Amino acid sequence: MAKKAAAQAADTAELELSYEESREELNTVVRRLESGGLSLKESLALWERGEELARICERWLEGARATMAAAMDERGNDDAPEDADTPF
């Protein structure tokens, strides 16, 4: 039960990271992985953190796309692209 609560708390904390914070931390993770000299355990932990950060960034970008699509729909843009998933 404690593991589940800890996981939920971590998820909440990660959702509070801005896109810019997540992207910057992801860049730091990539630089550390590329520099080498880490143990396998450290490398795996960094890799997992990088994957989490990439997911956070993707959620932010998906939210931005949805916001843009909604704004374009509200505006009634007649020049909307045929692909409904593309807001531009």
Side-chain angles (χ1 to χ4, degrees), residues 67-80 87-88:
T67 300
M68 291 296 297
M72 297 294 280
D73 286 345
E74 274 184 29
R75 212 172 81 183
N77 188 351
D78 293 333
D79 298 329
F88 308 106

Side-chain angles (χ1 to χ4, degrees), residues 42-60:
E42 291 170 322
S43 295
L44 288 174
L46 275 174
W47 179 268
E48 289 173 358
R49 180 61 180 158
E51 290 290 330
E52 292 171 15
L53 291 164
R55 282 190 290 274
I56 293 168
C57 288
E58 186 59 34
R59 282 195 298 266
W60 275 107

Side-chain angles (χ1 to χ4, degrees), residues 1 3 5-7 17-18 21 27 30 36 45 47 52 63 70 76 82 86:
M1 190 62 95
K3 277 188 175 182
L17 287 176
S18 70
E21 291 167 330
N27 286 331
V30 170
W47 179 268
E52 292 171 15
E82 293 192 22
T86 307

Side-chain angles (χ1 to χ4, degrees), residues 2-16:
K3 277 188 175 182
K4 187 174 183 179
Q8 288 174 340
D11 287 345
T12 301
E14 288 173 6
L15 291 176
E16 293 174 6

